[in-house]
Amino acid sequence: PWVVERLGEPIAWRESVAPVASTHDPVRALLERELSVEDAVRVALLRNLDLQAIYEELGVAEADLLQAALPANPTLHADVFTPDTPPSSTALELEFAVDLVSLLNIPARRSIASAELARTRLQVASRVIELASDVRETYFGLQGAQSR
C-alpha cells in the first residue's frame, strides 16, 4: 500500500505475459492520447516484463510461506509374509511414521519463510519505485530535448 501511496499509481500482477487483447486494455486506452508522465508510469507498471517476473517471485515466496507451515508427509509401509512351513498363516505388518523433528521445526521454517517473503516484498517495492523513477526521468529528459 505505501508503494501505491508514494507513486500515486496502482500496480498490477498479470498472471499471463500474453498480450492483452481486450477492448478494456488500460494501456491501449492510455496510448490513444498524448501521454502524461503519470500515464507513461502506468504503462510501464502494467507492461514491464521484468517487473512481472519479480511479481512471480512474490507468488513463490507466498507459496513457500504456506508450505513452511505444513508438516512433512508421514510414511506408511506394509509387508505381507506367508511362511513356507506350517503353521501357514499369513502375517501383515504395517508401519506408520511421522518425522517429529520436522514437526518441531515448523516454527523456525515459518519464521525463515516469513522473513523471505518480507524481503521479496521490499524487493518488489524497490523495483516498482525504481521503474517509476526511471520512466519519469526519461519522460522529462525527452520533453527537455524536444523543447530545445
Side-chain angles (χ1 to χ4, degrees):
W2 59 269
V3 173
V4 175
E5 289 172 13
R6 180 167 178 182
L7 290 175
E9 302 297 328
I11 55 175
W13 173 18
R14 287 181 20 220
E15 293 186 28
S16 169
V17 293
V20 179
S22 166
T23 56
H24 302 291
D25 180 11
V27 171
R28 180 175 293 161
L30 291 170
L31 294 177
E32 289 177 353
R33 61 180 193 251
E34 186 173 334
L35 281 179
S36 68
V37 68
E38 298 311 318
D39 290 341
V41 170
R42 280 188 197 100
V43 170
L45 292 176
L46 290 169
R47 289 290 170 89
N48 185 284
L49 294 180
D50 290 336
L51 187 58
Q52 294 299 320
I54 292 173
Y55 288 150
E56 292 289 335
E57 291 177 22
L58 185 59
V60 169
E62 288 172 348
D64 287 346
L65 178 60
L66 292 174
Q67 180 66 39
L70 300 175
N73 290 333
T75 59
L76 177 65
H77 181 80
D79 285 320
V80 178
F81 300 102
T82 21
D84 293 337
T85 58
S88 60
S89 64
T90 303
L92 175 64
E93 182 179 296
L94 295 174
E95 180 181 306
F96 180 79
V98 176
D99 184 357
L100 292 177
V101 173
S102 172
L103 289 174
L104 295 173
N105 283 334
I106 287 176
R109 286 196 324 259
R110 282 191 56 146
S111 177
I112 291 168
S114 181
E116 181 63 21
L117 177 59
R119 184 197 65 77
T120 304
R121 283 181 178 154
L122 291 173
Q123 180 184 13
V124 168
S126 173
R127 183 61 187 118
V128 166
I129 291 169
E130 179 184 352
L131 177 63
S133 175
D134 290 348
V135 169
R136 286 185 174 109
E137 180 182 341
T138 301
Y139 181 91
F140 291 124
L142 180 61
Q143 242 186 1
Q146 287 175 343
S147 68
R148 291 183 195 163

